[in-house]
Amino acid sequence: MRTNRKFFKRSKFLPIDKFFSNVLYDKKSGYYSSKIPFGREGDYITAPNISTLYSEIIAIWIISTWEIFGKPKSFNIVELGPGDGGLMRVILEVSKKFPEFNKSKKIYLYEKNKNLIKKQKNILNGNKIKWIQNFKRIKKGPIIFFGNEFFDAIPIKQFKKVKKNVSEKYYSLKKDFSVQEVFRNATPNDMKLVNSFKTLKKLKFIEFPKLGFKILKEIVSRVLSSNGCILLVDYGYENSRNQNTLQSVIKHKRNNLFDNLGKADITSQVNFSLLSEFFKKNNLKVKKTITQREFLKSMGIMERASIIAKKMKFSEQSNLYFRLRRLLNPKSMGTLFKVILAYKNDNSDKYYGFK
Ligand SMILES: C[S@@+](CC[C@H](N)C(=O)[O-])C[C@H]1O[C@@H](n2cnc3c(N)ncnc32)[C@H](O)[C@@H]1O
């Protein structure tokens, strides 16, 4: 329990997003600073770790969007939260097969974790890439932002609402170093903010990604300043509900939220209706949210699998289709993960994968 104390950093109580930011991203003892969490050896597996087919589809989506944008000579591509760099490695490989696109692309990786930046630099060695922590460093011109499991890794706030009165959840550190939940009046600004979203109107318990929206606001204003779009794939839901979705995972198993702090990954589910409302409020158009399964299938993942399977031995084919099923399974990843596209309407309403 003593470990709880270090994440409070001398405060007696903290709003929960601040507390979990310390737990996940503290430079010394934060989760992401002390280990590489991905893959079988780590705590969780993401879609790019499961199959390169997933990353190839994202690559093809990016290249087809560049075509929709009129094949601009200089084109910015920003990956949000690139993790171990595996997705970008495949995107760069696929790009080589499209020389005109390959020449025009400018790649940026938005990553705040030094440990992961080192890993990304290693795996992407030899490629022209800029690592950024500030979107102002990106060149002018058309742009695609995309992220896989970026938004669910950003700590959220939780609120309780009685009529229009909003209170915020804090954690306080007790004398025995255990953690207690307390609710305090939300700041007038937060109260106004939470009450301004139609999606949240009927809820009594609210999850609100204030930090995530702060980052997205900068991204949206960058998209509006030239032309572009934002593609996010995340774990989440569409029907807003009174639910605490915070979860902790260690070695691929659920873990009590306050056990193994700094050693377990903590995420929350993304509210896609809220995300969609946020983009619209900020003057972007938004496609109807679709499931990962719908997106991958309409982008031709089955056809791609059957082409590469032809050159494979039987055991390799079984492995390929086993992994493909994991990505598409309607009872798990295929539907729990969703895809949202927000865009400025300068070129067309037609984007591949979406209706
Ligand atoms: C759950 S991981 C996903 C990694 C990778 N996209 C994948 O699918 O395997 C979240 C990633 O977002 C990064 N991240 C989280 N919050 C961030 C922030 N505020 N700024 C930049 N990167 C952040 C993490 O360091 C990590 O690389």
Side-chain angles (χ1 to χ4, degrees):
M1 282 220 266
R2 275 180 179 274
T3 52
N4 294 343
R5 190 171 60 168
K6 69 181 170 205
F7 297 117
F8 276 90
K9 301 202 168 185
R10 297 210 183 106
S11 304
K12 288 217 172 83
F13 49 85
L14 286 174
I16 70 162
D17 56 344
K18 184 77 192 98
F19 178 77
F20 286 121
S21 289
N22 294 344
V23 169
L24 290 172
Y25 300 109
D26 178 69
K27 286 197 174 99
K28 245 168 65 198
S29 16
Y31 173 71
Y32 278 98
S33 319
S34 54
K35 64 166 153 180
I36 301 289
F38 316 102
R40 213 190 290 174
E41 307 288 299
D43 296 315
Y44 60 90
I45 291 190
T46 61
N49 304 141
I50 292 176
S51 171
T52 51
L53 276 175
Y54 175 84
S55 308
E56 284 180 3
I57 292 295
I58 298 286
I60 294 301
W61 186 87
I62 290 172
I63 295 164
S64 61
T65 302
W66 166 78
E67 283 184 0
I68 290 171
F69 279 33
K71 302 187 177 182
K73 291 264 176 301
S74 172
F75 192 57
N76 298 303
I77 297 167
V78 187
E79 182 174 0
L80 305 165
D84 63 6
L87 172 53
M88 185 48 76
R89 185 169 55 85
V90 176
I91 292 173
L92 293 170
E93 271 310 304
V94 174
S95 301
K96 286 184 195 150
K97 299 190 180 120
F98 300 84
E100 207 185 332
F101 169 80
N102 201 27
K103 239 170 89 187
S104 73
K105 66 174 185 2
K106 308 264 175 300
I107 305 282
Y108 298 87
L109 298 186
Y110 179 70
E111 174 61 68
K112 72 186 245 170
N113 184 274
K114 287 210 175 100
N115 206 18
L116 287 177
I117 292 177
K118 221 162 137 196
K119 170 108 185 153
Q120 291 154 12
K121 286 196 167 158
N122 242 330
I123 189 174
L124 301 169
N125 185 21
N127 291 286
K128 212 172 152 203
I129 291 174
K130 279 200 179 117
W131 274 262
I132 53 168
Q133 265 127 42
N134 182 340
F135 301 114
K136 295 204 172 88
R137 287 194 55 213
I138 302 172
K139 282 210 164 124
K140 284 195 178 139
I143 190 159
I144 291 183
F145 287 92
F146 73 98
N148 186 70
E149 288 207 53
F150 170 67
F151 211 65
D152 68 11
I154 301 176
I156 53 161
K157 284 188 179 295
Q158 290 181 333
F159 297 101
K160 245 180 5 193
K161 200 164 88 169
V162 181
K163 297 205 173 132
K164 286 227 157 182
N165 190 29
V166 183
S167 52
E168 177 172 2
K169 192 197 275 185
Y170 282 67
Y171 290 139
S172 85
L173 186 67
K174 289 178 35 183
K175 285 215 171 86
D176 66 356
F177 301 120
S178 64
V179 176
Q180 190 181 25
E181 256 181 48
V182 283
F183 279 86
R184 315 177 82 213
N185 272 345
T187 63
N189 270 350
D190 284 354
M191 214 177 284
K192 207 167 131 201
L193 189 62
V194 167
N195 281 325
S196 72
F197 282 89
K198 271 199 209 115
T199 313
L200 306 174
K201 276 252 142 73
K202 294 216 169 92
L203 298 184
K204 293 192 168 69
F205 182 82
I206 291 167
E207 296 199 321
F208 194 81
K210 192 177 175 190
L211 287 174
F213 279 173
K214 189 165 170 251
I215 299 171
L216 279 190
K217 252 211 152 117
E218 290 172 32
I219 292 174
V220 168
S221 85
R222 178 60 186 79
V223 168
L224 289 171
S225 75
S226 49
N227 185 22
C229 61
I230 306 162
L231 180 83
L232 298 173
V233 186
D234 257 299
Y235 183 50
Y237 58 92
E238 274 199 282
N239 297 327
S240 297
R241 49 200 187 200
N242 294 303
Q243 201 182 324
N244 183 346
T245 69
L246 279 173
Q247 72 166 30
S248 168
V249 167
I250 188 164
K251 300 259 170 257
H252 307 276
K253 288 206 176 94
R254 286 283 181 101
N255 177 61
N256 274 330
L257 202 54
F258 289 99
D259 289 348
N260 300 302
L261 282 182
K263 295 198 173 69
D265 183 39
I266 291 166
T267 55
S268 59
Q269 293 189 31
V270 173
N271 180 343
F272 279 89
S273 308
L274 181 64
L275 203 51
S276 174
E277 190 181 348
F278 169 87
F279 284 130
K280 286 179 194 156
K281 265 182 192 294
N282 286 283
N283 304 318
L284 288 185
K285 287 195 148 201
V286 189
K287 290 284 181 192
K288 184 182 170 318
T289 298
I290 53 177
T291 62
Q292 173 169 296
R293 178 183 168 85
E294 286 168 316
F295 177 73
L296 294 177
K297 284 188 93 169
S298 70
M299 285 300 298
I301 199 164
M302 300 305 288
E303 292 78 0
R304 175 74 189 137
S306 70
I307 292 169
I308 54 177
K310 279 190 190 131
K311 295 180 203 144
M312 287 178 164
K313 289 190 219 140
F314 180 71
S315 61
E316 290 167 338
Q317 286 177 348
S318 320
N319 186 20
L320 177 84
Y321 281 103
F322 170 75
R323 288 165 181 271
L324 189 58
R325 271 199 300 278
R326 276 192 74 178
L327 291 176
L328 298 177
N329 188 342
K331 290 206 181 97
S332 57
M333 264 195 116
T335 53
L336 295 176
F337 280 78
K338 304 204 166 47
V339 191
I340 192 167
L341 175 71
Y343 59 102
K344 189 178 165 191
N345 195 22
D346 270 8
N347 308 287
S348 119
D349 259 340
K350 171 101 194 86
Y351 283 86
Y352 289 94
F354 295 86
K355 286 200 182 107

